[in-house]
């Protein structure tokens, strides 16, 4: 685990936040690249998938669906230029909180888990909307980042399921450890180390 973490830290020291400000950023492809272009977004999106796996049952699809749905609400707020305070802080805290809750592995009502990820999704969606270029097709751009987000959630769930099959009865514990790694990664992003 240490070697993997060291490799990630070596390979990603210059990973920029996923927020625009340079280059062409219009259309489906650019919307798709926005969430996967920054470590802060990737950590949070995959953490949602791992969190959903740790909860299990209906949470496997309801928690990610809640995130994507509320991210669309945040996007509408962003393109409407409606101020949401502390967007960057909310994005950074999302992987810390969601990863941390996954690491704890405590039972949680699905509705509570949906609300938790939904609050953080508003910050992510707002960032996408507020930073969408004026010449971009809002529908294509939104479709791009929503598809990318769903795929990152699926990657978290898929990885957790795969590791669970490999490790047997320790799968859930490994997923909880992964949640802790995402939380630490969020601390690294927030502190400016990553």
């Amino acid at each position: 685990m240490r070697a993997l973490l060291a490799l990630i830290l070596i390979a990603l020291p210059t990973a920029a936040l996923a927020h625009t400000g340079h280059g062409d950023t219009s259309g489906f492809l650019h919307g798709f690249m926005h969430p996967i272009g920054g470590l802060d977004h990737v950590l949070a999106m995959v953490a949602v998938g791992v969190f959903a796996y740790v909860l299990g049952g209906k949470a496997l699809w309801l928690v990610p669906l809640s995130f994507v749905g509320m991210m669309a609400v945040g996007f509408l707020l962003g393109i409407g230029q409606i101020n949401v305070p502390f967007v960057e802080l909310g994005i950074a805290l999302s992987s810390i909180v969601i990863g941390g809750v996954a690491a704890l592995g405590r039972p949680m009502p699905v509705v509570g888990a949906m609300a938790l990820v939904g609050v953080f999704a508003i910050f992510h969606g707002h960032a996408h909307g507020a930073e969408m270029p004026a010449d971009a097709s809002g529908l294509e751009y939104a479709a791009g980042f929503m598809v990318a987000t769903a795929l990152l959630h699926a990657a978290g769930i898929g990885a957790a399921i795969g590791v669970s099959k490999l490790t047997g009865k320790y799968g859930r514990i490994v997923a909880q450890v992964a949640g802790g790694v995402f939380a630490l990664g969020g601390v690294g992003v927030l502190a400016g180390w990553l």
Side-chain angles (χ1 to χ4, degrees), residues 136-150:
S137 163
L139 199 52
E140 289 178 14
Y141 190 79
F145 73 73
M146 291 174 83
V147 167
T149 297

Side-chain angles (χ1 to χ4, degrees), residues 16-40:
L17 295 177
H19 308 279
T20 59
H22 46 66
D24 181 27
T25 57
S26 60
F28 179 86
L29 183 59
H30 294 290
F32 186 87
M33 294 305 295
H34 196 217
I36 63 174
L39 187 58
D40 52 351

Side-chain angles (χ1 to χ4, degrees), residues 24-185:
D24 181 27
T25 57
S26 60
F28 179 86
L29 183 59
H30 294 290
F32 186 87
M33 294 305 295
H34 196 217
I36 63 174
L39 187 58
D40 52 351
H41 287 286
V42 172
L43 286 171
M45 302 308 133
V46 178
V48 168
V50 170
F51 178 44
Y53 169 80
V54 168
L55 292 174
K58 290 182 181 180
L60 277 174
W61 62 276
L62 286 174
V63 168
L65 183 63
S66 174
F67 191 99
V68 173
M70 291 308 291
M71 190 174 61
V73 171
F75 173 72
L76 293 173
L77 294 173
I79 62 172
Q81 298 179 348
I82 297 170
N83 186 39
V84 173
F86 308 113
V87 169
E88 292 297 328
L89 180 60
I91 290 169
L93 288 175
S94 62
S95 59
I96 297 169
V97 173
I98 296 167
V101 173
L104 291 175
R106 302 259 189 240
M108 175 183 270
V110 174
V111 171
M114 292 169 64
L116 176 71
V117 301
V119 167
F120 289 110
I122 291 172
F123 295 119
H124 287 269
H126 190 279
H128 295 312
E131 297 168 3
M132 184 181 79
D135 64 341
S137 163
L139 199 52
E140 289 178 14
Y141 190 79
F145 73 73
M146 291 174 83
V147 167
T149 297
L151 288 173
L152 288 168
H153 293 332
I157 293 169
I161 290 171
V163 168
S164 178
K165 289 188 184 284
L166 290 173
T167 59
K169 66 181 182 178
Y170 300 108
R172 190 168 188 276
I173 294 169
V174 172
Q176 288 177 251
V177 170
V181 170
F182 290 120
L184 289 175

